[in-house]
């Protein structure tokens, strides 16, 4: 396997001149998104976690309750000599297209779109591109605009990223799905 989990001490901001860069994405459930990026040539590390929230060190259970306002997200380290940020944006958009219907419809029949509890819960699955530099922001804005923001993607500066619990890391790979570079097998996200 040539994609490794990103160490906890890994940098979260991009360093000018480094061939390795960081990107952070939210696209609903983080398991399928992580596997999609793991399959991309040039991605050298991934981890899932929580970002853009208002508390420190959130747990999965707290994020699910909606009290932290965090998004489930995927942090990706990629080698710019092998893959561009534009290529990763394309992976992101394909994944959104494949999964958006899961998050645009009421997730429970009794859920009311004006119910504050439902709105808090939905924060967890909100779509976002969290840029680490101006170039990422500019490129992401073009892609979002080109799609008339159909997927309701928020574009924000990356904030503190908190690693999800170990059992969430590379979850679908552990469950037997392929992370081979270039694999096109349908990602089966379940949980």
């Amino acid at each position: 396997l040539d994609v490794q989990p990103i160490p906890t001490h890994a940098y979260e901001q991009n360093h000018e001149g480094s061939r390795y860069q960081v990107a952070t994405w939210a696209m609903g459930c983080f398991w399928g998104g992580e596997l999609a990026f793991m399959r991309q040539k040039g991605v050298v590390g991934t981890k899932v976690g929580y970002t853009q929230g208002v508390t420190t060190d959130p747990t999965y259970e707290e994020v699910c309750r909606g009290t932290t306002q965090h998004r489930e997200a995927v942090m990706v380290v990629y080698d710019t000599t092998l893959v561009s940020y534009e290529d990763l944006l394309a992976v992101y958009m394909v994944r959104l297209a494949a999964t958006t219907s899961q998050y645009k419809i009421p997730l429970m029949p009794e859920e009311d779109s004006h119910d504050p509890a439902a709105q808090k819960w939905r924060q967890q699955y909100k779509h976002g591109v969290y840029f680490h530099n101006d170039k990422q922001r500019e490129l992401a804005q073009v892609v979002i605009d080109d799609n008339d923001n159909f997927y309701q993607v928020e574009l924000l500066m990356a904030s503190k990223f908190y690693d999800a619990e170990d059992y969430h890391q590379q979850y679908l790979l552990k469950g037997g799905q392929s992370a081979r570079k270039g694999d096109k097998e349908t990602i089966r996200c379940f949980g």
Side-chain angles (χ1 to χ4, degrees):
L1 178 66
D2 57 355
V3 175
Q4 301 298 317
I6 302 169
T8 301
H9 65 276
Y11 58 88
E12 292 186 13
Q13 296 301 317
N14 291 326
H15 300 282
E16 215 170 301
S18 174
R19 71 188 257 190
Y20 298 104
Q21 297 291 304
V22 177
T24 305
W25 322 85
M27 60 202 93
C29 175
F30 47 34
W31 295 337
E34 181 182 35
L35 186 60
F37 284 115
M38 290 171 70
R39 291 176 173 180
Q40 177 63 46
K41 176 184 170 189
V43 170
V44 297
T46 62
K47 66 179 174 179
V48 297
Y50 317 110
T51 192
Q52 307 306 124
V54 296
T55 62
T56 58
D57 295 316
T59 65
Y60 181 68
E61 290 74 22
E62 291 168 337
V63 172
C64 287
R65 281 195 297 269
T67 58
T68 72
Q69 298 179 26
H70 284 88
R71 314 312 182 241
E72 286 192 18
V74 181
M75 182 179 281
V76 173
V77 174
Y78 62 102
D79 183 336
T80 60
T81 66
L82 299 174
V83 66
S84 68
Y85 187 74
E86 294 93 330
D87 293 335
L88 297 177
L89 278 167
V91 170
Y92 176 74
M93 295 306 289
V94 166
R95 190 68 196 153
L96 282 183
T99 62
T100 293
S101 65
Q102 297 171 24
Y103 305 106
K104 288 189 92 140
I105 59 173
L107 298 171
M108 292 175 271
E110 68 277 6
E111 189 174 288
D112 182 324
S113 63
H114 301 291
D115 176 9
Q119 290 299 323
K120 283 182 185 178
W121 188 81
R122 286 188 190 146
Q123 291 291 318
Q124 171 182 0
Y125 295 120
K126 192 167 190 172
H127 301 148
V129 176
Y130 307 116
F131 57 89
H132 293 264
N133 58 44
D134 287 337
K135 180 77 171 170
Q136 287 183 354
R137 180 185 51 75
E138 292 165 10
L139 293 169
Q141 187 66 64
V142 168
V143 170
I144 291 167
D145 290 347
D146 285 350
N147 288 279
D148 295 323
N149 202 12
F150 177 78
Y151 300 108
Q152 301 174 349
V153 176
E154 63 181 7
L155 178 61
L156 301 170
M157 179 178 284
S159 68
K160 177 77 175 154
F161 188 96
Y162 297 96
D163 294 358
E165 295 78 357
D166 286 343
Y167 68 91
H168 286 297
Q169 304 301 327
Q170 301 186 349
Y171 183 84
L172 296 179
L173 174 67
K174 293 176 199 173
Q177 294 189 56
S178 171
R180 284 185 313 252
K181 298 299 183 191
D183 195 318
K184 301 290 184 201
E185 181 181 343
T186 300
I187 294 173
R188 298 171 317 279
C189 192
F190 46 86

